[in-house]
Amino acid sequence: MREAWRLLTIQSHVATGYVGNRSATFPAQLLGWDVDAVNTVQFSNHTGYGRWGGQRFDERHLTEVFEGLERNELLTQNRVVTGYTPSPEALSAVERLITKLRAKNPALVYLLDPVMGDMDRGMYVNPHVLPIYRRMLHLSTIICPNQFEAQLLAGEEITSLESLQAVQEKLHKEYHVPHVIITSLALPPEDLARLGASDTMPDGREAMVLVGSTWDQGLHSWFLQFPCLGEYFSGVGDLFAALVLARFSTELDDLPEPARAAHALEPTKSDNECTLPIARAVMLAVASLQHVLERTRATMIEQGARLHLDPFRPVSQLDAEERVKVMRLRELRIVQSATEIVHPHVLYRPQWVLHA
Amino acid sequence: MREAWRLLTIQSHVATGYVGNRSATFPAQLLGWDVDAVNTVQFSNHTGYGRWGGQRFDERHLTEVFEGLERNELLTQNRVVTGYTPSPEALSAVERLITKLRAKNPALVYLLDPVMGDMDRGMYVNPHVLPIYRRMLHLSTIICPNQFEAQLLAGEEITSLESLQAVQEKLHKEYHVPHVIITSLALPPEDLARLGASDTMPDGREAMVLVGSTWDQGLHSWFLQFPCLGEYFSGVGDLFAALVLARFSTELDDLPEPARAAHALEPTKSDNECTLPIARAVMLAVASLQHVLERTRATMIEQGARLHLDPFRPVSQLDAEERVKVMRLRELRIVQSATEIVHPHVLYRPQWVLHA
């Protein structure tokens, strides 16, 4: 039995709402982790609102906090997650810390979410973070880029099943990442079909396809397909990363008691179900996330009707006052979903990729 | 049915450990509150360790965060708690915020913990906070000073049952505080006996006596006596304040669902049990706190034995390295006590004060 289950999260803090550390901390605590949190900013609300008050913390402040932890021998975490860190200076301070943690504890599980941009918006951080992230890949256990970020890291486009596998192999073999999760994949329908997936659920809803891979004397690749619910919300990626990190285990002893229960779930009879530990963690994380998103959408619709606001209108069509109100309606209902975060109902299961 | 249950806490943030906002946030979230948190400092660990890294945030930063919230109409909280705020400038910024919240929402429940010092150490904040706290009393719904702080606020000593009542009356009548909770009371044994209390539990353990009062066309005064467990720990007062605020209700509709269940508890048959809503909230808060403290003590003893450290040794007898290790052992086991925070087992019940 472990003496402690301690998880460090280094992300943004907002006074109100759920992004960064505010999205990661409560769910990981619910799952039994003693969560240590270093805040890289303190803002009134997330920047998607269009206006906010507060400040980013500079490298000096972050380094002081890290040095305080180090000097007092408080760097005893088993797990670390890092996310959105827009400045190269702050990211360098984080890199130095993770290097120390990794040296101290070779069994450290580090989930790196290399937040840099997406297909729609392109790169929205300082481009100098890219070489730092590439170095940090060597420290990571799990990474969860979206397709845009995976392409940036590998320096190669993903346009087919073959180029997807080339990117995965590069991240595993050249950058030594044990587990790669590409959180959203857009491929031509025929390549998705060769994967065994589709961009449509059997009931006709739009689907998200997430692709995971583990390197173990070769590429072991799987995917998870589930209905697309997350497009309107901020903090979804931060919540996903925290849930995966809080759930991942090769042995149950790696997890605090509340995180263990759902792992007792039997696999389905499907011959093709992937039961790799990382795939199980992702399956449970997605299941919890779907609950949170469904509750958030329901509340959005209800409160939007009361306020005579369409909460799904694109930000570009909203004036400043409307934008603030709509962003508020879109805040994740995390606290209200405590039960489903701990005990999710699993509807979608990971499948092995059919063939190369 | 309320649209939202939203609680704002303005306190310290430590990267690791449980004081200030780190002690208040998770328990209030467990009880169903959407917790908004403004951090007044970011330190690696609490200052009881003797050394730490990080910084206090100045009035300008706090004001920027508050203004961001105000401008975006995010000051919709039903409840607020404030605690340790050592600088008069920062406390003034907090005072301005609470004044706005109170004007916006007359039904706001504001719990003010006027942290200034204690009987053993005297005053450990800048003395210029005292007049600000006295002004803020007029904004408060509940205050929870210890005896030292109650005396400072009222400008009168508490040495007998009579002087206790004089202080209570002053806080209620001159400063218009609806509910006063004096969290630890030391009185001569004969005055405790006149209250109906004792400094010893029936089983011989040392007792704490907490005294509460509500002004409603006269002084309604009650007490709660329970075994003394908290003396070694930091963050206990912050946890207590958050639990009281998260549990207090005059109508169940004031509370999110997880905070309601325990209120269904029947009063005991004792004729003398006080069933005022504030006394019920304190009873439940103390019950949860006792669970947390018992678990913390048990872990301290077990881990202390493994590290060959006596975790109960006074700080004055420890060198700098030992002090850090001992303070670490004394961190509250809040995450591990999630079940008992929501469903405490009530052993000690509030009693009406026998006679004036």
Side-chain angles (χ1 to χ4, degrees):
Chain A
M1 182 66 110
R2 286 283 173 88
E3 183 191 331
W5 292 272
R6 190 164 285 281
L7 183 156
L8 173 63
T9 173
I10 307 174
Q11 300 190 62
S12 305
H13 174 81
V14 287
T16 192
Y18 298 95
V19 301
N21 276 343
R22 296 279 279 152
S23 190
T25 302
F26 177 65
Q29 289 176 318
L30 276 180
L31 290 169
W33 291 91
D34 259 311
V35 176
D36 295 338
V38 175
N39 299 324
T40 53
V41 314
Q42 169 159 266
F43 289 161
S44 53
N45 49 269
H46 72 71
T47 57
Y49 283 70
R51 61 189 188 204
W52 63 91
Q55 66 178 88
R56 282 177 218 281
F57 300 134
D58 58 17
E59 186 189 4
R60 208 188 98 252
H61 172 61
L62 295 180
T63 302
E64 278 172 12
V65 173
F66 294 154
E67 286 176 355
L69 291 171
E70 189 183 6
R71 183 140 182 250
N72 288 342
E73 294 179 43
L74 298 170
L75 292 179
T76 58
Q77 294 85 7
N78 322 105
R79 309 225 164 173
V80 192
V81 56
T82 61
Y84 181 63
T85 315
S87 97
E89 295 75 22
L91 190 60
S92 293
V94 172
E95 181 193 10
R96 288 193 294 275
L97 179 79
I98 310 275
T99 305
K100 280 176 190 161
L101 278 167
R102 169 63 73 210
K104 218 181 260 287
N105 177 10
L108 179 79
V109 179
Y110 170 36
L111 189 152
L112 165 61
D113 187 3
V115 180
M116 291 185 284
D118 57 40
M119 290 298 201
D120 296 333
R121 291 176 288 173
M123 191 144 179
Y124 50 61
V125 296
N126 182 322
H128 292 107
V129 302
L130 178 57
I132 308 174
Y133 275 132
R134 284 195 176 133
R135 289 199 303 268
M136 291 175 77
L137 291 177
H138 295 273
L139 300 167
S140 71
T141 315
I142 306 166
I143 64 172
C144 51
N146 58 32
Q147 182 171 348
F148 176 82
E149 293 155 346
Q151 293 178 166
L152 269 181
L153 290 168
E156 291 175 31
E157 298 289 296
I158 298 173
T159 55
S160 64
L161 197 50
E162 288 69 26
S163 53
L164 166 66
Q165 288 174 348
V167 164
Q168 290 173 319
E169 293 213 359
K170 187 155 184 183
L171 293 171
H172 288 299
K173 292 172 72 178
E174 191 171 323
Y175 293 103
H176 300 105
V177 181
H179 306 285
V180 174
I181 302 163
I182 301 178
T183 53
S184 60
L185 188 70
L187 281 184
E190 59 274 20
D191 289 270
L192 281 182
R194 285 170 62 211
L195 203 71
S198 161
D199 57 11
T200 313
M201 298 302 293
D203 64 8
R205 283 184 290 174
E206 191 186 346
M208 294 264 288
V209 178
L210 170 158
V211 178
S213 58
T214 295
W215 189 266
D216 181 13
Q217 301 176 309
L219 188 69
H220 301 266
S221 194
W222 51 274
F223 72 93
L224 187 65
Q225 178 179 325
F226 50 93
C228 183
L229 290 174
E231 70 268 49
Y232 294 102
F233 308 107
S234 299
V236 171
D238 309 326
L239 175 57
F240 174 74
L243 288 171
V244 170
L245 186 61
R247 288 289 196 182
F248 173 65
S249 71
T250 47
E251 293 175 51
L252 280 190
D253 196 36
D254 292 344
L255 295 180
E257 196 280 329
R260 281 181 210 177
H263 281 268
L265 280 173
E266 280 309 298
T268 51
K269 299 293 177 200
S270 155
D271 288 344
N272 199 42
E273 179 167 341
C274 169
T275 56
L276 286 179
I278 186 68
R280 304 278 288 175
V282 168
M283 173 186 83
L284 292 168
V286 165
S288 291
L289 202 53
Q290 296 282 102
H291 285 292
V292 172
L293 292 173
E294 276 163 16
R295 178 168 279 121
T296 304
R297 287 179 82 101
T299 310
M300 252 170 90
I301 291 167
E302 184 203 307
Q303 296 190 352
R306 191 157 42 201
L307 299 173
H308 306 290
L309 270 175
D310 173 6
F312 297 102
R313 258 174 75 201
V315 164
S316 60
Q317 295 175 20
L318 301 169
D319 69 28
E321 299 301 323
E322 288 169 330
R323 178 173 175 177
V324 163
K325 287 190 178 60
V326 164
M327 295 317 281
R328 173 64 153 187
L329 292 180
R330 295 183 190 172
E331 289 287 0
L332 296 178
R333 308 291 283 174
I334 288 181
V335 165
Q336 293 75 15
S337 306
T339 303
E340 296 90 349
I341 287 171
V342 181
H343 303 287
H345 180 54
V346 174
L347 293 174
Y348 311 104
R349 289 168 172 271
Q351 306 292 317
W352 291 108
V353 163
L354 286 183
H355 44 74
Chain B
M1 181 66 109
R2 285 281 174 91
E3 182 191 334
W5 293 271
R6 190 164 284 282
L7 183 156
L8 172 64
T9 173
I10 307 174
Q11 300 190 63
S12 304
H13 174 81
V14 288
T16 191
Y18 298 95
V19 301
N21 275 344
R22 295 280 278 152
S23 191
T25 303
F26 178 64
Q29 289 176 318
L30 277 180
L31 290 169
W33 291 91
D34 259 311
V35 176
D36 295 339
V38 174
N39 298 324
T40 53
V41 315
Q42 169 159 263
F43 288 160
S44 55
N45 49 268
H46 73 70
T47 57
Y49 282 69
R51 61 189 188 204
W52 64 90
Q55 66 179 89
R56 281 176 219 281
F57 300 135
D58 58 17
E59 186 189 3
R60 210 188 97 251
H61 172 60
L62 295 180
T63 301
E64 279 171 12
V65 174
F66 295 153
E67 286 176 354
L69 291 172
E70 189 183 6
R71 185 143 179 247
N72 288 343
E73 294 179 43
L74 299 169
L75 292 180
T76 57
Q77 295 83 9
N78 322 104
R79 309 224 165 174
V80 192
V81 56
T82 62
Y84 181 62
T85 316
S87 95
E89 294 75 23
L91 190 60
S92 293
V94 172
E95 182 194 10
R96 287 193 294 275
L97 179 79
I98 311 276
T99 304
K100 281 176 189 160
L101 278 167
R102 170 61 74 209
K104 218 180 259 289
N105 178 10
L108 179 77
V109 178
Y110 169 36
L111 189 152
L112 165 62
D113 187 2
V115 180
M116 290 185 284
D118 57 39
M119 290 298 201
D120 295 334
R121 292 176 287 174
M123 192 144 180
Y124 49 61
V125 296
N126 182 322
H128 291 106
V129 302
L130 179 56
I132 308 174
Y133 275 133
R134 285 197 177 131
R135 288 199 303 268
M136 291 175 77
L137 291 178
H138 295 273
L139 301 167
S140 71
T141 315
I142 306 167
I143 64 172
C144 51
N146 58 32
Q147 181 171 349
F148 176 83
E149 292 155 348
Q151 293 178 166
L152 268 180
L153 290 169
E156 291 175 31
E157 297 290 296
I158 298 173
T159 56
S160 65
L161 197 48
E162 287 69 27
S163 53
L164 166 65
Q165 288 175 347
V167 164
Q168 290 173 318
E169 294 213 358
K170 187 156 185 181
L171 293 171
H172 288 298
K173 292 173 72 178
E174 191 171 323
Y175 293 104
H176 301 105
V177 181
H179 306 285
V180 173
I181 302 163
I182 301 177
T183 54
S184 61
L185 187 70
L187 281 185
E190 58 275 19
D191 289 272
L192 281 182
R194 285 170 62 209
L195 204 71
S198 160
D199 56 11
T200 313
M201 299 300 294
D203 64 6
R205 283 184 290 174
E206 191 186 345
M208 295 266 287
V209 178
L210 170 159
V211 178
S213 57
T214 294
W215 189 267
D216 182 14
Q217 301 177 308
L219 187 69
H220 300 266
S221 193
W222 50 274
F223 71 94
L224 188 65
Q225 179 180 325
F226 51 92
C228 181
L229 290 173
E231 70 269 48
Y232 294 102
F233 308 107
S234 299
V236 171
D238 308 327
L239 176 56
F240 174 75
L243 289 171
V244 170
L245 186 60
R247 288 288 196 182
F248 173 66
S249 71
T250 47
E251 293 174 50
L252 279 190
D253 197 36
D254 292 343
L255 295 180
E257 195 280 328
R260 282 180 211 177
H263 280 269
L265 279 174
E266 281 307 299
T268 51
K269 300 291 176 200
S270 155
D271 289 343
N272 199 42
E273 181 168 341
C274 168
T275 56
L276 286 178
I278 186 68
R280 302 279 290 175
V282 168
M283 172 185 84
L284 293 168
V286 165
S288 290
L289 202 53
Q290 296 283 100
H291 285 292
V292 172
L293 292 173
E294 275 162 17
R295 178 168 280 120
T296 304
R297 287 179 82 100
T299 310
M300 252 169 90
I301 291 167
E302 185 203 306
Q303 296 189 351
R306 191 156 43 202
L307 299 173
H308 306 291
L309 271 175
D310 173 5
F312 298 101
R313 258 173 75 201
V315 163
S316 59
Q317 295 176 19
L318 301 168
D319 69 27
E321 299 301 322
E322 288 168 331
R323 178 173 175 177
V324 163
K325 288 191 176 62
V326 165
M327 294 317 282
R328 173 64 153 187
L329 293 180
R330 295 184 191 173
E331 290 286 0
L332 295 178
R333 307 291 282 175
I334 288 181
V335 165
Q336 294 74 17
S337 307
T339 304
E340 296 90 349
I341 286 171
V342 182
H343 304 288
H345 180 53
V346 173
L347 293 174
Y348 311 104
R349 289 170 173 269
Q351 307 292 318
W352 291 108
V353 163
L354 286 183
H355 45 74

